[in-house]
């Protein structure tokens, strides 16, 4: 995860390629923060879809029956990437939801 350019908190949010945490982003521009969070969700969703496709492809390529060691390792690798991409997608959704809920309280 990147570090906020202003306060060094960990963040996955970017403004024009500069890592910014939600607190600092909100202080600067709530509208842009929300747009960035939407973009974050879209990007993470695309990465999760790509990881899912890569996973399907590897599983299809490995012949049925007992996969040999190399095949098992490849499945392990793509499955780890897929679960990481899905975690990031969930986190992106959570950040956006939090932001929308906080905005509604104002
Ligand atoms: Zn910050």
């Amino acid at each position: 995860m990147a570090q906020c350019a202003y306060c060094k908190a960990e963040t996955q949010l970017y403004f024009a390629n500069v890592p910014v945490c939600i607190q600092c982003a909100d202080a600067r521009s709530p509208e842009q923060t929300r747009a960035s969070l939407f973009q974050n969700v879209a990007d993470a969703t695309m990465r999760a879809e790509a990881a899912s496709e890569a996973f399907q492809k590897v599983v299809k390529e490995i012949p049925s029956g007992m996969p040999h060691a190399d095949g098992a390792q490849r499945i392990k690798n793509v499955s780890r990437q897929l679960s990481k991409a899905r975690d990031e997608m969930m986190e992106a959704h959570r950040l956006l939801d939090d932001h929308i809920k906080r905005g509604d309280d104002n």
Side-chain angles (χ1 to χ4, degrees):
M1 228 181 243
Q3 280 192 338
C4 173
Y6 302 97
C7 72
K8 306 292 176 202
E10 288 206 331
T11 183
Q12 58 168 241
L13 186 67
Y14 285 83
F15 271 21
N17 292 323
V18 177
V20 184
C21 75
I22 294 185
Q23 282 75 20
C24 293
D26 256 342
R28 297 171 73 82
S29 165
E31 294 79 15
Q32 203 185 348
T33 302
R34 190 164 295 194
S36 294
L37 288 169
F38 269 114
Q39 187 60 48
N40 210 23
V41 168
D43 290 349
T45 303
M46 255 169 48
R47 283 197 301 272
E49 278 168 10
S52 174
E53 267 172 39
F55 178 78
Q56 305 282 348
K57 193 161 166 272
V58 167
V59 170
K60 232 183 275 171
E61 275 173 9
I62 309 281
S64 56
M66 283 290 285
H68 53 79
D70 184 45
Q73 188 55 49
R74 283 180 66 197
I75 289 179
K76 235 183 256 175
N77 289 346
V78 286
S79 124
R80 200 179 302 130
Q81 280 160 13
L82 178 57
S83 104
K84 184 167 171 282
R86 285 191 174 152
D87 285 351
E88 285 170 3
M89 184 174 68
M90 306 254 286
E91 175 67 7
H93 276 286
R94 194 185 61 77
L95 289 174
L96 178 61
D97 286 350
D98 280 1
H99 192 258
I100 288 170
K101 275 186 209 130
R102 231 178 316 153
D104 288 346
D105 290 341
N106 290 338

